[in-house]
Amino acid sequence: MAKSINLIIVPPPRLGHLSIVELGNVLLRRDERFSVSVLVINPPFMAEGLFAKKLSDSHPAINFIDIPRVDPSPLLSNPPMASEAFISSYIELHKPNVRAAVERLLLKDEFASTIFVVDMFCTSMLDVARGFGSPCYTFFASSAAFLGLLQLLSARSVFSEGDPDSLIPAYAHPVPTSVMPNFVFRKDGYEAFAAIGEQIRETNGVILNTFADLEPHALRSFGDGCPPLYPIGPVLDLVGPNQVLETDISESNRILRWLDEQEEEESVVFLCFGSIGSFKADQVAEIAAGLDNSRVKFLWSLRKPPQPGKSEWTLDYEDPNDILPEGFLARTEGRGLICGWAPQAKILAHKSVGGFVTHCGWNSILESIWFGVPTATWPLYAEQQVNAFQMVKDLELAVELKMDYRRHQQALLSAVEVENAVKLLMSVDGHGLEMRKRVKKMSERSRAAVAKQGSSYETIGALINKMLDS
């Protein structure tokens, strides 16, 4: 059958948003009339071409087009702009190069129609889609509840830290100001996300990486002024991000061998804080003491901060003893394993893993639910604080280690807090047991959603029909 839909996907240069690429695979598996091209905007501090190559290696059915990088120096200021404002502005600088790439693509192949799907950070590309007379959809890589928050930004002004709790329709409980994302307190970050919210309303629909049974309250909260919503999740890229970061396969094998050696199922707590999550030495010492005192088996992905101006991602320690308390490795030998980069999805899928201390990135939340692993919340940046609030308060699928932690603050989480949260997370009675049951049940629902006749499966079908009629 001839290809009839040229689907052009525009992801941001951020690892946490690569589920939009997996969306291409989802559509290709469902309907052979799609041809998928991903326009790869290079991260500011990565060699050109490397990002596209790593993605194409793990997604062979998709055409990856490397977009020439634009010099970000006009955006560098002192003090620096909010990260959300920087990434949106950086992507917008690429509009001429994206437009040129689409023109070359359309000259090369003829299609019945061209449809754009852009990440929420790439909604400025709506102008490019309009220039080609093409429909444009937003792929929203975070929760439906967070989309509901964005939709309210243009109706008010910047938040202050002393503001009272906010009644946000997409959240079942009043939202404390302490768990609001950092950008709501900064004029440039607030305006960047308010603009994203406005641009989303102008697109043909929002493809949400969530599912009906996970966020029924949030999905019901949207009213007039919002484009059609397509909750098709969980869309999980269980290969792509790992391949981007995997520089040492032997390390992955070492981790999985150690997990295989654990005789008791669900006995290991896994600590991992995303591609840019790291801590200073004093906080590392508190985590180590908490794990030591908990007597729980652990696997800890311990990373050091990125090098300024060279990478936005964390790095491995050559020797963990450089930052760990003296004697920690000897005291926990056999009970714990320290690693650098970790194959997160493979670890969560392992039968030995029974708990996950996470930064609460939305992809990590969806993966933990998919594999039925309960979580303890330790947010660091972006919208992770409000994700933690939703998981603990609205959904009751996580233990609160902390909900309002911010990595730029000086306050430490104590060893006692870490110890208590880990013990509660791994407990097999009382509150821990009840939460574990809820997570297992939601895991079953997440898999049912994408199975035939499931809510997300049917929504994908409706989305495809809408695209075919465009």
Side-chain angles (χ1 to χ4, degrees), residues 374 399 424-437:
V399 165
L424 179 58
L425 177 64
M426 300 299 288
S427 65
V428 292
D429 54 21
H431 176 75
L433 177 61
E434 291 305 311
M435 186 196 63
R436 191 171 296 275
K437 288 179 179 178

Side-chain angles (χ1 to χ4, degrees), residues 11-15 18 41-44 51 87 90-91 121-122 312-313:
R14 306 186 76 170
L15 287 177
L18 291 185
I41 297 173
N42 287 275
F51 203 48
I87 193 67
Y90 176 71
I91 289 168
F121 279 107
C122 303
E312 66 172 1
W313 298 321

Side-chain angles (χ1 to χ4, degrees), residues 251 254-255 269-289 291 298-306 313-326 328-329 332 336-344 347 356-357 378 380:
E251 175 72 349
R254 180 178 77 97
I255 293 167
V269 63
F270 175 43
L271 297 87
C272 188
F273 301 95
S275 57
I276 57 175
S278 61
F279 299 101
K280 295 180 180 179
D282 52 357
Q283 185 62 79
V284 169
E286 294 296 321
I287 297 171
L291 292 174
F298 64 88
L299 171 62
W300 181 5
S301 176
L302 177 62
R303 308 277 282 168
K304 65 180 178 180
W313 298 321
T314 52
L315 306 167
D316 288 352
Y317 285 99
E318 292 183 10
D319 183 357
N321 281 308
D322 291 342
I323 194 167
L324 288 168
E326 185 176 355
F328 174 76
L329 291 179
T332 59
L337 183 69
I338 300 293
C339 62
W341 170 87
Q344 179 171 292
I347 291 169
F356 181 26
V357 179
W378 193 336
L380 301 177

Side-chain angles (χ1 to χ4, degrees), residues 135-150:
C136 183
Y137 293 80
T138 301
F139 182 85
F140 201 77
S142 192
S143 68
F146 183 57
L147 175 63
L149 171 59
L150 293 196

Side-chain angles (χ1 to χ4, degrees), residues 405-425:
Y405 186 93
R406 299 177 193 273
R407 63 176 176 175
H408 66 274
Q409 294 177 341
Q410 299 301 313
L412 289 178
L413 262 133
S414 70
V416 172
E417 290 175 289
V418 173
E419 177 187 356
N420 290 342
V422 165
K423 285 181 175 178
L424 179 58
L425 177 64

